Amino acid sequence: MSAPLRNPVGDGCPEPRIRTATLADLDALVALEHAAFATDRAERRAIRHAILSPTMDVLAALIDAPDGDPTPVLVGAAVLERRRSSRIARLASIAVAPNRGGLGLGGRLLDAAEARARAQGCDRLRLEVRADNGAGIRLYQRRGYTRFAVRPDYYEDGMEAWRYERAL
């Protein structure tokens, strides 16, 4: 699995495929985590655990490499958590490669996470978003998520998290 592309890509980008991540994706997922987030990054050990966990799903968004390389390029990922005794799933993370921002990939990953949560028997999805993440907040609100709580000092840098929820 290749790391996220470093060169900007414009219109005409290949359409990503979203599938369940495997351990073969681990290096690319770690690289994406570092490219997408300045702080609060998941460590390699945590990503590996999520891939192997029966109560978590790691979804990988992949595109074909532009140079004909047969190894697809990871351009986004989502992590979904569930508890065995609960019908509420939690979207732990959505990461989009910086060169793919604004192209709708976050929405596609959110759709895939919601579908996976429904398939696992969940009827609600919850998430936290940084209070200063305007793009994320707009995406969740457009998709019908309702803010139900604020968690002060949630992120490493002291930023608060806004908690959102939506019925599936």
Side-chain angles (χ1 to χ4, degrees), residues 97-152:
N99 62 341
R100 296 290 292 189
L103 300 174
L105 185 53
R108 294 209 40 207
L109 284 162
L110 181 58
D111 290 342
E114 289 172 351
R116 183 65 58 94
R118 278 191 299 274
Q120 296 288 341
C122 295
D123 58 15
R124 302 192 78 66
L125 184 61
R126 288 185 175 171
L127 58 92
E128 295 85 23
V129 61
R130 287 178 62 93
D132 63 354
N133 181 352
I137 291 166
R138 285 187 297 277
L139 170 65
Y140 301 131
Q141 289 177 344
R142 276 193 319 265
R143 298 296 182 94
Y145 284 80
T146 303
R147 188 169 74 180
F148 69 93
V150 174
R151 286 199 168 158

Side-chain angles (χ1 to χ4, degrees), residues 23-89:
L23 287 178
D25 301 318
L26 185 57
D27 289 340
L29 288 164
V30 171
L32 174 65
E33 190 78 8
H34 283 269
F37 302 115
T39 63
D40 296 280
R41 296 178 180 131
E43 297 197 16
R44 180 181 191 84
R45 182 181 71 236
I47 297 169
R48 184 178 193 283
H49 169 77
I51 292 169
L52 297 174
S53 174
T55 59
M56 298 178 80
D57 293 292
V58 180
L59 303 174
L62 306 158
I63 60 170
D64 292 329
D67 57 5
D69 182 331
T71 305
V73 177
L74 182 81
V75 293
V79 178
L80 187 66
E81 300 174 347
R82 299 174 313 281
R83 288 196 178 121
R84 293 174 206 252
S85 61
S86 177
R87 296 188 54 144
I88 300 172

